[in-house]
Amino acid sequence: DEIGYSIRFEKGNFNSGYCILQDKKIVVVNKFLTIEGRINALIDILPSIEFDCTTLNTDVRQFYEVAIASSSK
């Protein structure tokens, strides 16, 4: 929400489990993934979305920094 993207959980043939529609700022995640799979898909998506992280509130920014650090390992 804070970066202007909406997330949808829908049925689809996504090779990676998700699809990013950057022009419309929508992320579509396969609804048949487990909760862990959905979280991992969202963490995989974060580095590919460009935004100014200084606009995030403190708690969200801290989570974002931890997620980015863990996804780069």
Side-chain angles (χ1 to χ4, degrees):
D1 245 8
E2 291 191 30
I3 61 172
Y5 276 76
S6 63
I7 300 172
R8 293 184 183 175
F9 297 98
E10 297 189 16
K11 182 172 99 174
N13 294 328
F14 312 117
N15 290 335
S16 59
Y18 61 86
C19 175
I20 304 171
L21 305 170
Q22 291 184 339
D23 291 341
K24 295 185 179 186
K25 293 192 170 191
I26 297 173
V27 173
V28 182
V29 178
N30 189 333
K31 74 177 185 177
F32 296 115
L33 291 175
T34 63
I35 296 295
E36 183 178 349
R38 291 178 185 194
I39 292 169
N40 287 333
L42 293 172
I43 289 173
D44 287 346
I45 292 167
L46 280 176
S48 64
I49 296 176
E50 295 181 20
F51 64 94
D52 181 11
C53 70
T54 61
T55 62
L56 301 175
N57 74 48
T58 306
D59 292 335
V60 174
R61 188 177 320 132
Q62 288 175 342
F63 175 80
Y64 172 74
E65 290 169 356
V66 169
I68 292 297
S70 69
S71 70
S72 65
K73 289 183 180 179

